[in-house]
Every structure is written in structure tokens, then in C-alpha cells.
Amino acid sequence: QVQLVESGGGLVQPGGSLRLSCAASGSGFSINDMRWYRQAPGKERELVATITSGGSTNYVDSVEGRFTISRDNAKNTVYLQMNSLKPEDTAVYYCNAQVRTWPSGRFLDCWGQGTQVTVSS
């Protein structure tokens, strides 16, 4: 069983910063890509950032230069450092991990429960 738990969301003023964390726990798995998604009310879920097992990163244009995704493989944790936050960043942020389970070797998508980020003055 693999569980993803996000933390770090909250209320922040425009221009402020926030760091989200997502920790994977369980046994019998390894993690390939990890991603952060977000979903604002009435909008589609949006891919925000991706980090591969090798550390390569990609970002949606709207957060490029402001957000940084990173991971600590020893802790099975992915982070999203969010700087220069804007009201339009307000959303529920979801952690996603491509998980390889053992002994089957199959890849599965796992999701966290989401954490609310609100950017408002």
C-alpha cells in the first residue's frame, strides 16, 4: 500500500511564499516521476510541475520562475516551493506520483488528498 500525504497549504498574501510537501509511505514500491497538480473552483485540474527520478523538472508557463519542485528520495518526499504567489495560484494542490510496485513491477498513479492554497490580501 502506498499513501501520499500533502502538507503546507494555507493562506498567504500576494507576493508571499509557501512550501508544500508530499510524503509517500508504505512498502514494496519505488517512485519514478512526481508531480504537483492544482485545481481551482470551476476549473480543470492543471499540471503545475513535474520532477523525474533523475531530477529533471518541468513547469507550466504560469509558474515558471516562481515555483520550484524538488525531491528527497531518501525521504520519499516531493516539495513545491512557491514564491511570488498570486491570487490566481489559489487552488487545491495535489501531489501525484508514478509508483512502481514490487514484485509485479507495475506502474501506478497515486494521488494525495490535496491541500488548499489561498492567496489573498
Side-chain angles (χ1 to χ4, degrees):
Q1 307 287 343
V2 181
Q3 301 176 57
L4 301 180
V5 179
E6 300 105 331
S7 62
L11 175 64
V12 65
Q13 294 183 333
S17 297
L18 213 57
R19 189 180 76 157
L20 306 183
S21 300
C22 174
S25 62
S27 61
F29 71 94
S30 62
I31 302 176
N32 192 12
D33 292 356
M34 302 188 80
R35 297 177 173 89
W36 286 98
Y37 289 78
R38 66 186 181 187
Q39 188 166 26
K43 296 184 178 180
E44 296 180 341
R45 187 168 296 188
E46 175 187 38
L47 175 61
V48 177
T50 300
I51 185 166
T52 69
S53 60
S56 297
T57 59
N58 286 289
Y59 302 91
V60 67
D61 288 346
S62 60
V63 309
E64 184 76 48
R66 299 189 297 118
F67 290 12
T68 302
I69 187 171
S70 61
R71 64 193 292 169
D72 185 337
N73 291 332
K75 297 181 178 179
N76 283 332
T77 300
V78 63
Y79 305 94
L80 186 66
Q81 178 67 46
M82 304 184 293
N83 299 325
S84 302
L85 282 162
K86 304 175 180 179
E88 50 263 47
D89 296 318
T90 296
V92 177
Y93 284 71
Y94 296 91
C95 175
N96 168 264
Q98 184 188 45
V99 175
R100 192 176 192 182
T101 62
W102 300 103
S104 68
R106 297 172 62 188
F107 286 97
L108 301 173
D109 276 338
C110 297
W111 292 86
Q113 82 287 350
T115 185
Q116 177 71 50
V117 172
T118 302
V119 184
S120 177
S121 59

